[in-house]
């Protein structure tokens, strides 16, 4: 095997962030050339991308069907490159439906695989953990309760802590960020994080914006910041039909128009500035996923929302093994933040929960105490360094 080639792969925005940090650390330590699948973070870290994670990122069962052809092509491309280059090791980041198949193909080529950010099989189809035991030489987990679960399945497992502990920081003081967006620091601010994929925006953004209209009616001075994920951009909202505004969101050559339910809503758009928006906010409305962990690390009170397609909802109800869904609640082992999912994800429910946080100091402080506990459970930092140490054993 080549001494200077490592395959590294991530299939979604959070995985790209973690894998990019790890790639930079491994490149610094070993001088190895890294290639594989990822996004902008991995590209910035010097990874040669033979496939783009934006092409395959999708959530839900019903949504994945339209992606099957590109998923197959991407899988074959990565396998062909691995067969040609013969890397010493493959590092696969989360994204289990794709990476379990990739690991099977790589094992046949004699390429050992490490699972970086082991998937959440303890919550979702736990019997699939046996596939990790058969196809991976080791798993690196980021939540403390995962280590025992994977070890009981006979998997060499290391708890490294959560990479976000070292990453999540605002880039500027609150006053500077608000001034940059023309917002008043003396008035309440609500941050909006509707998700990092198109299908999440389609399902989550409209009920969030309708909830904002209700909040503004109760709190006329309230200000809203739409923190779009990296890769998305938008112009300022434009006046539309009576009582509406139009918001165009773009990603590359693709764009979608969203009709906002309230003209004059004090809404600013901040692409790629989630940490600054969250740090500046009085409260946040956050799509379930990695963003809830980021919000918890910043100590911002939040309401967690999420909608998926009907087929996906049926499958989740069939296979889910946990009562709670939001990561802060799972990490703490109790309900800290409200979860408004599917039929509960309505403008009325969202606005009521946000207004409760905005109007009750006791409610905010109680949630913030819970978020302090969540942060403590995620480790003291240094997760990427510990991951590199563990991977060094196989190099």
């Amino acid at each position: 095997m080549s001494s200077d080639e490592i395959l590294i792969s991530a299939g979604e925005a959070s995985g790209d962030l973690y894998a990019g940090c790890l790639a930079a650390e491994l490149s610094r330590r070993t001088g190895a050339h890294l290639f594989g699948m990822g996004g902008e973070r991995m590209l910035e870290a010097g990874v040669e991308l033979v496939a783009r994670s934006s092409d395959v990122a999708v959530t839900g069962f019903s949504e994945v069907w339209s992606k099957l052809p590109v998923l197959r092509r991407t899988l074959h491309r990565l396998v062909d490159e691995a067969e040609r280059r013969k890397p010493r090791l493959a590092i696969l980041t989360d994204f289990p439906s794709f990476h379990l198949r990739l690991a099977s193909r790589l094992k046949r080529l004699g390429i050992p695989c490490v699972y970086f950010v082991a998937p959440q099989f303890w919550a979702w189809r736990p019997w699939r953990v046996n596939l990790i035991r058969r196809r991976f030489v080791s798993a690196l987990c980021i939540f403390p309760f995962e280590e025992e679960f994977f070890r009981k399945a006979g998997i060499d497992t290391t708890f490294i802590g959560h990479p976000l502990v070292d990453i999540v920081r605002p880039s500027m003081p609150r006053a500077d960020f608000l001034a940059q967006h023309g917002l008043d620091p003396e008035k309440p601010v609500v941050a909006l994080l509707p998700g990092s994929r198109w299908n999440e925006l389609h399902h989550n953004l409209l009920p969030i914006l309708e909830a904002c209209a209700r909040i503004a009616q109760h709190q006329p001075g309230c200000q809203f910041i739409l923190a779009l994920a990296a890769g998305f951009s938008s112009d300022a909202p434009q006046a539309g039909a009576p009582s509406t505004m139009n918001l165009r969101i773009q990603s590359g050559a693709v764009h979608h128009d969203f009709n906002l339910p309230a003209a004059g809503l004090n809404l600013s758009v901040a692409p790629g500035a989630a940490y600054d928006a969250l740090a500046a906010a009085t409260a946040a409305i956050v799509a379930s996923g990695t963003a809830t962990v980021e919000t918890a690390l910043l100590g911002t009170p939040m309401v967690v929302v999420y909608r998926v397609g009907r087929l996906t909802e049926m499958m989740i109800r069939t296979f889910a093994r946990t009562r709670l869904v939001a990561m802060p609640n799972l990490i703490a082992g109790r309900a800290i933040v409200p979860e408004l999912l599917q039929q509960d994800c309505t403008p009325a429910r969202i606005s009521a929960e946000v207004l409760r946080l905005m109007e009750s100091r006791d409610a905010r402080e109680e949630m913030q105490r819970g978020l302090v506990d969540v942060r403590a459970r995620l480790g003291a930092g240094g997760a990427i360094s510990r991951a590199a140490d563990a991977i060094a054993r196989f190099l």
Side-chain angles (χ1 to χ4, degrees), residues 131-144:
L131 298 177
I132 297 181
R133 184 182 65 248
R134 294 198 292 266
R135 299 176 186 180
F136 290 81
V137 296
S138 185
L140 310 180
C141 60
I142 62 175
F143 297 115

Side-chain angles (χ1 to χ4, degrees), residues 28-187:
R28 183 186 66 80
R29 290 192 187 194
T30 68
H33 175 71
L34 290 93
F35 72 96
M37 178 173 74
E40 294 304 313
R41 303 288 187 142
M42 291 172 65
L43 193 63
E44 291 169 5
V47 178
E48 179 192 350
L49 298 184
V50 298
R52 286 277 184 168
S53 56
S54 57
D55 294 335
V56 300
V58 69
T59 56
F61 290 91
S62 56
E63 294 88 350
V64 78
W65 289 107
S66 63
K67 289 280 189 177
L68 282 176
V70 70
L71 286 165
R72 290 194 185 102
R73 288 195 299 272
T74 303
L75 179 68
H76 291 316
R77 188 179 308 130
L78 288 169
V79 172
D80 290 345
E81 284 296 314
E83 186 172 17
R84 181 174 71 85
R85 301 180 188 224
K86 296 182 171 56
R88 285 184 74 182
L89 185 71
I91 302 166
L92 310 184
T93 310
D94 203 2
F95 204 51
S97 294
F98 183 88
H99 282 147
L100 286 172
R101 289 170 173 79
L102 178 59
S104 177
R105 304 288 186 89
L106 295 177
K107 185 176 181 180
R108 294 176 205 166
L109 297 176
I111 299 169
C113 297
V114 172
Y115 220 136
F116 174 50
V117 187
Q120 297 164 15
F121 287 157
W122 42 269
W124 174 251
R125 294 188 286 180
W127 56 88
R128 298 182 81 197
V129 72
N130 295 317
L131 298 177
I132 297 181
R133 184 182 65 248
R134 294 198 292 266
R135 299 176 186 180
F136 290 81
V137 296
S138 185
L140 310 180
C141 60
I142 62 175
F143 297 115
F145 51 83
E146 293 179 323
E147 189 170 21
E148 181 181 4
F149 170 80
F150 287 108
R151 284 189 173 175
K152 279 185 175 179
I155 300 166
D156 176 70
T157 308
T158 302
F159 169 58
I160 59 171
H162 207 297
L164 287 175
V165 172
D166 294 318
I167 295 170
V168 176
R169 301 282 188 279
S171 67
M172 65 183 76
R174 179 178 188 268
D176 292 351
F177 176 75
L178 294 176
Q180 187 178 90
H181 291 275
L183 301 177
D184 186 344
E186 300 301 320
K187 294 180 179 179

Side-chain angles (χ1 to χ4, degrees), residues 10 38 52 57 75 79 114 182 286 302-303 339 343 355 373 378 381:
R52 286 277 184 168
L75 179 68
V79 172
V114 172
V286 187
M302 76 184 91
V303 176
E339 302 179 354
Q343 66 271 15
L355 287 168
D373 180 40
L378 291 177

